Amino acid sequence: YVYHAFARTQVFPPREEFASFPLQLGAWSCPQRTFMDEKTLANLGASDYLLCEFHRADPAGFVGVYLGYHATQIREEGGGSGENAIHPPKHCLPGSGWDIIAQDVVELDVPGLPQQPAQVNRMMIAKGDARQLVYYWYQTQGRVIAGDWQKIAYLSWDRARSGRTDGALVRFTAPIFNKDEEAADRQIRELASEILPGLAAYVPEG
C-alpha cells in the first residue's frame, strides 16, 4: 500500500545519451560501437546502452564494455512490474553458451566509483577452451550494488521515496590468454579507471 501510494508518478532525471560517450580514453580506444538487433534489445529492456570493445596497442589487449541504462525498471501498462528490470549477467551467460566456473564478490577501488571501495561481482567464464574474466555491478542513484536482492530492495525503496526506478548495469569482460588471469584483471581495472570518472553524466546519481 505504501509502495503504490507514494509512487504514483515516475521521475526521469536528465542525462547524456551514450551516443556522445567518448571512444578514445587515454591509451584505450573503441574502433566502432556494436549495436544489438531490435529483438535482443527488447528482451534486454535497456533504454540506452554502450556496447564496445576497447583496445590498446601497448601492451596489446582489449576489454569488452557494456553499459546498459534503464530509464525505468517498471512497466506501468497492464499493472505489472519488473518487465524492464536489469537482467543479471549470471542468468544470461549460460543461455549464450558460457559456463560460470568461478564467481565471487570482490572490492574494486578505482577512480570514479561513487563508493570507495565498492563491492562488485567477479566471474570467470568458459566456452570450450576459451576463458574470460567478467566484472559487473548495478549502478543506481550513486550506489554500486553487487547483489541481485539488494538491487530489488533499492528499486522498491527508490520508487516510493523519489519516484525514480532508473539504473544501469556496468560490465567489463576481458579474455584470459595463456592462463594469465592477472593480466586480464589489470586490463579491466585500468580501463575502468578511464571510464568511470565520466559515467555520472550518463548514469545519474542521487
Side-chain angles (χ1 to χ4, degrees):
Y1 173 81
V2 172
Y3 174 79
H4 288 284
F6 284 91
R8 294 177 180 175
T9 303
Q10 288 202 68
V11 175
F12 300 93
R15 58 176 291 274
E16 296 290 332
E17 297 288 326
F18 280 124
S20 68
F21 196 88
L23 301 184
Q24 179 72 51
L25 295 163
W28 295 87
S29 63
C30 171
Q32 186 175 3
R33 287 183 61 177
T34 301
F35 294 95
M36 293 179 279
D37 59 69
E38 291 185 6
K39 182 179 179 181
T40 301
L41 187 56
N43 289 335
L44 202 60
S47 52
D48 189 20
Y49 70 95
L50 175 74
L51 183 58
C52 219
E53 201 172 80
F54 281 83
H55 295 252
R56 63 169 300 161
D58 186 22
F62 65 91
V63 176
V65 175
Y66 173 73
L67 307 173
Y69 180 75
H70 296 238
T72 174
Q73 295 187 68
I74 302 296
R75 184 169 296 163
E76 298 294 349
E77 296 83 356
S81 65
E83 294 91 340
N84 294 330
I86 301 171
H87 297 185
K90 65 183 179 182
H91 295 170
C92 302
L93 285 167
S96 57
W98 289 94
D99 294 318
I100 300 171
I101 58 177
Q103 58 182 317
D104 200 359
V105 175
V106 300
E107 283 193 350
L108 183 63
D109 189 0
V110 298
L113 280 171
Q115 299 156 224
Q116 297 285 353
Q119 300 288 314
V120 303
N121 296 289
R122 183 183 186 273
M123 301 189 303
M124 186 187 296
I125 60 176
K127 181 188 289 186
D129 294 331
R131 299 288 184 274
Q132 293 188 350
L133 188 65
V134 180
Y135 275 69
Y136 80 89
W137 63 89
Y138 310 104
Q139 195 154 319
T140 63
Q141 302 186 42
R143 306 185 196 95
V144 174
I145 303 169
D148 297 336
W149 68 269
Q150 293 172 309
K151 173 179 71 75
I152 294 170
Y154 277 120
L155 175 63
S156 298
W157 168 252
D158 288 335
R159 187 187 182 201
R161 178 181 60 89
S162 65
R164 286 177 57 182
T165 64
D166 59 302
L169 174 67
V170 180
R171 188 186 71 205
F172 295 88
T173 306
I176 299 173
F177 296 118
N178 302 317
K179 300 182 180 180
D180 194 347
E181 186 178 334
E182 292 184 1
D185 206 303
R186 286 194 302 271
Q187 289 176 347
I188 288 176
R189 290 171 180 261
E190 181 183 319
L191 180 58
S193 70
E194 297 284 355
I195 286 179
L196 297 178
L199 191 58
Y202 304 86
V203 181
E205 298 185 356

